[in-house]
Amino acid sequence: MTMKFFAHPVFLLIFSFPLFANALTDTILQGQLVTASTTITSSGNEFVLGFFSPGNENSTTSSYLGIWYKRASKKTVVWVANRDNPLTDSTAVLTIAADGNLVIVVGRVSYMLSNISSRGNTSATLRDSGNLVLNDRRSGDILWQSFDYPTDTLLPEMKVGHDKRNGKTWSMLAWKSKEDPGPGVFSFELDSQGTSQFFILKKFQKYWTSGTWNGKIFTRIPEMAGNIMYDSIYVSNGNESYFTYSMKIPLVTVRFVLDISGQLQLLLMNETTGEWDMYWAQPREQCDIYGYCGAFGACNRSATAFCQCFRGFQPNSVGNWNAGDMSRGCVRKAPLKCGNYSEVNEQKDQFLRMSKVRLPDNSIVLSHVRSVGDCESACFSNCSCSAYAYDGNDWCSIWREELMNVLQLTDNDTEGRDFYLRLSASESLSEGKVLLTPIADSRMKRWKWIILALGVPIALLAAVSFFYCLRKRKSQNKGEDLVLFDIGTSTEAANCKLNEAGKSRTCKKKDVDLPLFSFASVSAATDNFSEANKLGEGGFGPVYKGKLLTGYEVAVKRLSRKSGQGLEELQNEAMLIAKLQHNNLVRLLGCCIEKDEKILIYENMPNKSLDFFLFDPIKYGILNWEVRVNIIEGIAQGLLYLHQYSRLRIIHRDLKASNILLDKDMNPKISDFGMARIFEGNGSHATNRIVGTYGYMSPEYASEGLFSIKSDVFSFGVLLLEILSGKRSTGFYNSDSLNVLGYAWDLWKSGRGEGIKDPILPDIPSTNMLRRYVNIALLCVQESAADRPTMSNVVLMLSNEQVLLPCPKQPAFSATRSEPDHCSTNGLEICSMNDATISILEAR
């Protein structure tokens, strides 16, 4: 909102007005004043209008006129009148001038909020909606309203979009900082090109998109679906285009906020405490940022490196890409030939299928397309067409020029779609995986097909039969038959259980030989590695479900030839897991090493991995508090066994949510020991090859290659915070920090450690227990490895509430100022400020 300021005789009116004017209620009349020490309140006690100083209520160095919630426990400002013009004079007042306009008067200078033409008979009322309205007192018409000038907050009935009649734009503009309501770098506004999508802009550059409106929700905000609190409304006609919302449940208080971090948040007020809980936020993570991987780049949340170029493309700037800036995207390795024949076997441009993705932005929908062939032809005939998609219901989309915001989804994601990427013939042939060729190229001469149909099969039939029989005979001698394997006679997981102190244990062990299975039997168990049996895929390669004759299901991990892991990692994992027996470690049943195949066979975990539930906006509700506590304790028991009680002392080095598998009863099992190392003693070990996942790595390992048992303790602390909060370690949060460590630390040092609780969780049995778990997690992620507890300490602290906990120091990677420790003395947590270590008696 533009404010005009000038010398104005209004101060004469002010000081000539009788001092016994009507007391302020929810309305300001001409001559009445709102001063630094007075406010007005809406009739239903919902909102307050007055002067405030952000960050320091006692400060008079800069103040603003604003509107805030009355019932919130902490002043929550929803509108600021003079965000561009902070006031430094405590004598500033708000009043209605003689000409009927709302003005802020400082000495002899007036700042105009409204700019209307009237006869001066006006009044300003603060409504229970949070809208400050200037009315004509005779007609009752609204002459000006604060809802037409949003700041960083969108309240119910407010609009964000375009007023086409008056050429006006309603947009949200984030604060500059938590203590400065001036305009920040992020804005939220409707696409000026006329599409029904909204953008978060960062200094006028697209940062995130809501996706288009499908009649109910914006396609990139699935959290809007099925809510029971508010109705989402999108209107577009000749006069205006805008989004607004109205409350279904009047007693519920929600607000949309554009945070200083660039995150659009929907916050819900806790009516009991007056505090705000985050209902959802976008963008949640890097893959949701507009153009994060640039043109022709796909973002993959489950991969260590989020961005990958499409097949047939390479980074536009290798230096920037390697430095972590992928926004410049990817470029073709070979140019398109368009309508001309290429020099490679007289082939035209080809199409390659991209599977299980979120489709690129800005598609062009073609009508009256009857088949996939027609859709392909429409793209092929247009030299600027880069890709197409067809859904089988006369729905065809094509994309011209650059493809943006492609998200690689998991195989079990029902939102996954396929589209066909256009590549040059030479590039397609070099890749050897052309999945679809243009229709024009499929009309080859009939005599070539006759030769292929008759000559080739006859020539190959004898050779194929011979080699098949030879291979079958050899395979029978290469290993056991997996399909006939009797799980009951194989190694049984030892029933290892530690007591509450984490000291003594009973653990029945049995030396076993790891079975070696033939490739033919593994292939038979997985139905020839069919897509229907594919459980997922990681950096090592795909995992398939296999079924034995007894009905027992197994998980078959097949090392991909393109994987960065190799025989060394597979042998390492096989050797380690074969000698480890614990209820909270995944059970290895055998392996297959035949020619180029490297395969491990595990017990099948029907509930997949922890991240499958924890970070899924639909499934994470399954993880109630009791289940999460059981998972936390199980992981701790498994790590303690690795570090202290197994026959081989192991450092895992890659502990993360995706490596925690869940059995049918949701019990956790630590998996993926490809990066694990055997260690002796308690000191650190150095390596030149740093492996693992950023966000879980300890600082000494990430920067210097030093690892120890304290490296796993750090990863456990990160994982514990993820389980408590339901947030990824590297996501975006309502905090100065951009990771879960900084987010937790901000809450902890302000005495609100329990605020990290996942909003999906109902009231938990004990807030003290939650606060205690946060304390333990922060102890595990301290900067110095020497300050972190051992896993035996951790198990003791988790299981025995009588153990006093020290105060944690600032976590590594928290990206916040170093400040004095803040310790809570509520409940059972007693923090010492002397940085003393814990003395714990341990079994020797």
Side-chain angles (χ1 to χ4, degrees):
M1 176 176 59
T2 302
M3 294 185 61
K4 297 182 179 180
F5 54 96
F6 48 87
H8 199 285
V10 69
F11 68 93
L12 296 176
L13 172 64
I14 295 172
F15 293 110
S16 64
F17 195 83
L19 295 177
F20 51 84
N22 292 336
L24 297 177
T25 54
D26 64 340
T27 300
I28 306 172
L29 303 175
Q30 261 186 332
Q32 288 185 324
L33 310 179
V34 176
T35 68
S37 59
T38 60
T39 59
I40 67 171
T41 304
S42 64
S43 61
N45 288 321
E46 293 293 327
F47 289 93
V48 178
L49 170 71
F51 290 94
F52 72 98
S53 296
N56 185 357
E57 291 300 319
N58 297 320
S59 172
T60 57
T61 56
S62 61
S63 64
Y64 300 84
L65 177 71
I67 298 173
W68 58 88
Y69 284 96
K70 184 175 178 63
R71 294 183 293 112
S73 59
K74 183 178 179 181
K75 181 172 289 185
T76 305
V77 178
V78 299
W79 182 77
V80 182
N82 58 316
R83 62 188 312 188
D84 290 312
N85 300 285
L87 305 172
T88 57
D89 194 327
S90 60
T91 63
V93 296
L94 172 69
T95 189
I96 298 177
D99 61 2
N101 279 293
L102 266 174
V103 294
I104 299 175
V105 181
V106 183
R108 293 179 175 269
V109 178
S110 296
Y111 299 83
M112 294 184 64
L113 273 64
S114 62
N115 187 16
I116 62 167
S117 298
S118 72
R119 296 181 181 179
N121 193 9
T122 61
S123 63
T125 301
L126 179 62
R127 298 181 174 178
D128 276 331
S129 61
N131 192 12
L132 178 63
V133 176
L134 185 65
N135 295 293
D136 186 311
R137 296 188 68 188
R138 288 184 296 270
S139 66
D141 294 339
I142 295 178
L143 305 176
W144 175 95
Q145 58 180 348
S146 63
F147 270 19
D148 282 337
Y149 304 92
T151 52
D152 68 329
T153 301
L154 189 71
L155 298 174
E157 311 304 335
M158 286 181 76
K159 299 176 182 178
V160 57
H162 299 311
D163 183 346
K164 303 173 185 177
R165 295 165 298 187
N166 302 317
K168 181 176 179 58
T169 295
W170 302 296
S171 60
M172 299 165 65
L173 193 58
W175 284 27
K176 186 176 294 184
S177 71
K178 290 184 177 180
E179 298 183 357
D180 186 352
V185 297
F186 292 100
S187 62
F188 179 77
E189 54 191 69
L190 183 62
D191 182 14
S192 59
Q193 301 301 315
T195 66
S196 61
Q197 61 184 329
F198 285 82
F199 291 115
I200 294 178
L201 303 180
K202 183 179 183 181
K203 294 181 178 179
F204 307 107
Q205 297 294 320
K206 292 177 182 177
Y207 182 75
W208 172 84
T209 175
S210 67
T212 55
W213 178 258
N214 66 6
K216 295 182 179 179
I217 65 170
F218 293 102
T219 55
R220 295 289 177 83
I221 315 180
E223 297 92 339
M224 293 178 67
N227 81 83
I228 61 173
M229 297 183 299
Y230 63 92
D231 284 314
S232 299
I233 304 166
Y234 179 75
V235 175
S236 183
N237 53 45
N239 295 327
E240 53 190 359
S241 296
Y242 63 87
F243 168 78
T244 188
Y245 65 105
S246 60
M247 299 307 301
K248 294 180 181 179
I249 307 175
L251 298 178
V252 174
T253 303
V254 301
R255 62 188 175 105
F256 285 89
V257 176
L258 183 60
D259 188 64
I260 58 174
S261 66
Q263 199 178 48
L264 182 67
Q265 303 171 348
L266 179 62
L267 302 178
L268 171 66
M269 181 187 285
N270 185 315
E271 297 297 333
T272 302
T273 64
E275 296 183 349
W276 295 96
D277 296 323
M278 189 181 297
Y279 192 67
W280 58 256
Q282 290 284 354
R284 291 189 301 266
E285 52 194 24
Q286 285 90 335
C287 286
D288 294 323
I289 297 174
Y290 188 90
Y292 182 76
C293 296
F296 300 109
C299 198
N300 189 339
R301 295 188 180 112
S302 61
T304 302
F306 287 111
C307 294
Q308 297 173 336
C309 289
F310 294 162
R311 185 171 298 158
F313 289 77
Q314 59 190 6
N316 190 17
S317 172
V318 176
N320 286 4
W321 190 278
N322 292 337
D325 179 10
M326 282 72 73
S327 60
R328 297 185 63 180
C330 309
V331 294
R332 293 185 183 276
K333 295 179 181 178
L336 297 176
K337 299 297 182 181
C338 193
N340 302 320
Y341 281 100
S342 73
E343 298 176 358
V344 183
N345 298 330
E346 297 185 344
Q347 292 287 316
K348 293 184 178 180
D349 296 336
Q350 310 289 306
F351 288 96
L352 200 66
R353 186 174 67 191
M354 307 288 289
S355 299
K356 288 292 182 181
V357 299
R358 184 182 68 192
L359 295 179
D361 285 342
N362 302 324
S363 63
I364 299 173
V365 179
L366 304 180
S367 58
H368 308 298
V369 175
R370 301 299 182 185
S371 67
V372 64
D374 291 342
C375 189
E376 180 188 282
S377 295
C379 182
F380 188 72
S381 62
N382 188 329
C383 289
S384 64
C385 181
S386 301
Y388 76 89
Y390 184 78
D391 74 344
N393 296 310
D394 297 339
W395 177 91
C396 172
S397 289
I398 65 172
W399 287 266
R400 292 178 179 171
E401 305 301 340
E402 297 180 339
L403 304 182
M404 298 289 291
N405 289 324
V406 175
L407 177 64
Q408 184 65 59
L409 304 174
T410 58
D411 290 335
N412 52 21
D413 195 318
T414 57
E415 300 297 322
R417 302 286 300 279
D418 293 352
F419 77 95
Y420 296 88
L421 175 68
R422 190 172 188 167
L423 294 177
S424 70
S426 59
E427 185 62 37
S428 298
L429 291 175
S430 67
E431 293 288 348
K433 289 189 178 181
V434 179
L435 301 183
L436 190 63
T437 57
I439 292 178
D441 291 332
S442 66
R443 297 170 183 169
M444 302 182 68
K445 294 182 180 180
R446 191 176 302 274
W447 62 269
K448 290 184 178 180
W449 285 110
I450 295 175
I451 292 177
L452 291 174
L454 297 178
V456 175
I458 294 174
L460 294 179
L461 182 59
V464 170
S465 300
F466 172 76
F467 283 111
Y468 174 78
C469 294
L470 180 62
R471 183 170 181 173
K472 185 175 181 180
R473 179 177 298 175
K474 289 183 177 180
S475 67
Q476 292 175 349
N477 299 322
K478 289 219 172 184
E480 297 186 42
D481 191 328
L482 176 61
V483 178
L484 299 176
F485 190 63
D486 186 0
I487 302 297
T489 61
S490 66
T491 176
E492 295 293 339
N495 185 17
C496 300
K497 190 65 178 176
L498 307 173
N499 64 13
E500 288 188 352
K503 300 175 185 176
S504 62
R505 74 225 184 265
T506 56
C507 194
K508 185 180 180 181
K509 302 178 182 177
K510 179 182 178 182
D511 290 324
V512 297
D513 293 325
L514 189 65
L516 185 66
F517 298 108
S518 68
F519 178 76
S521 67
V522 176
S523 180
T526 58
D527 194 16
N528 198 24
F529 301 99
S530 67
E531 284 295 317
N533 283 333
K534 193 172 182 181
L535 297 175
E537 186 164 1
F540 52 81
V543 178
Y544 299 89
K545 180 173 67 175
K547 195 168 186 178
L548 313 187
L549 285 180
T550 59
Y552 192 90
E553 292 183 345
V554 296
V556 177
K557 177 178 175 180
R558 188 182 191 185
L559 189 70
S560 170
R561 292 180 177 86
K562 295 183 179 180
S563 170
Q565 301 183 29
L567 183 60
E568 178 185 351
E569 285 82 1
L570 181 135
Q571 290 175 333
N572 185 67
E573 182 163 2
M575 178 190 72
L576 292 181
I577 302 183
K579 296 183 179 182
L580 300 176
Q581 299 296 316
H582 191 275
N583 285 336
N584 296 116
L585 303 182
V586 71
R587 181 181 172 196
L588 181 67
L589 302 177
C591 63
C592 171
I593 303 176
E594 191 171 315
K595 293 185 179 180
D596 293 333
E597 295 290 345
K598 306 175 186 70
I599 300 172
L600 294 173
I601 295 92
Y602 298 93
E603 59 178 330
N604 184 45
M605 296 289 106
N607 282 318
K608 302 185 179 180
S609 58
L610 176 59
D611 64 329
F612 179 74
F613 291 93
L614 194 58
F615 307 129
D616 188 290
I618 298 176
K619 300 181 179 66
Y620 76 144
I622 297 174
L623 299 180
N624 59 34
W625 176 248
E626 290 73 19
V627 172
R628 297 191 196 205
V629 168
N630 181 64
I631 290 173
I632 291 168
E633 293 178 347
I635 297 171
Q637 293 276 359
L639 272 182
L640 177 57
Y641 171 78
L642 292 176
H643 289 181
Q644 194 163 330
Y645 296 126
S646 67
R647 75 183 83 178
L648 299 175
R649 302 185 71 187
I650 305 297
I651 302 175
H652 189 278
R653 295 206 303 171
D654 197 20
L655 186 70
K656 56 184 177 180
S658 59
N659 284 341
I660 304 299
L661 304 183
L662 302 173
D663 66 11
K664 61 182 178 64
D665 298 317
M666 300 297 283
N667 294 311
K669 294 180 183 287
I670 302 173
S671 70
D672 200 342
F673 287 76
M675 306 302 177
R677 288 293 179 268
I678 302 173
F679 72 97
E680 296 180 0
N682 295 318
S684 297
H685 303 259
T687 180
N688 293 324
R689 184 190 178 200
I690 298 176
V691 295
T693 304
Y694 286 103
Y696 296 90
M697 284 188 190
S698 63
E700 69 274 9
Y701 183 49
S703 60
E704 303 175 59
L706 297 176
F707 64 92
S708 65
I709 58 174
K710 298 297 185 71
S711 305
D712 282 351
V713 172
F714 183 92
S715 302
F716 175 79
V718 176
L719 186 56
L720 177 51
L721 290 175
E722 288 187 326
I723 295 172
L724 296 176
S725 66
K727 295 176 171 62
R728 291 186 185 272
S729 61
T730 54
F732 292 77
Y733 306 104
N734 185 20
S735 168
D736 288 334
S737 299
L738 294 181
N739 59 46
V740 76
L741 305 186
Y743 176 59
W745 180 246
D746 286 344
L747 292 171
W748 178 261
K749 67 184 182 181
S750 64
R752 298 182 296 111
E754 67 278 4
I756 199 173
K757 179 176 75 73
D758 192 336
I760 194 66
L761 290 173
D763 292 338
I764 61 176
S766 171
T767 303
N768 285 336
M769 179 181 293
L770 174 61
R771 194 181 300 115
R772 183 179 183 85
Y773 278 16
V774 175
N775 194 162
I776 295 170
L778 290 174
L779 289 172
C780 292
V781 296
Q782 295 177 105
E783 182 86 30
S784 172
D787 292 332
R788 298 173 211 145
T790 63
M791 285 311 300
S792 60
N793 299 150
V794 171
V795 169
L796 177 63
M797 290 186 287
L798 288 172
S799 59
N800 190 341
E801 294 185 5
Q802 302 306 315
V803 175
L804 302 183
L805 304 184
C807 183
K809 298 178 181 178
Q810 181 172 337
F813 310 124
S814 58
T816 57
R817 280 191 315 276
S818 179
E819 298 185 8
D821 294 336
H822 295 256
C823 302
S824 169
T825 57
N826 296 331
L828 297 174
E829 297 170 350
I830 301 177
C831 300
S832 169
M833 299 299 289
N834 297 320
D835 295 333
T837 57
I838 312 175
S839 297
I840 300 176
L841 297 177
E842 297 183 25
R844 298 297 184 189

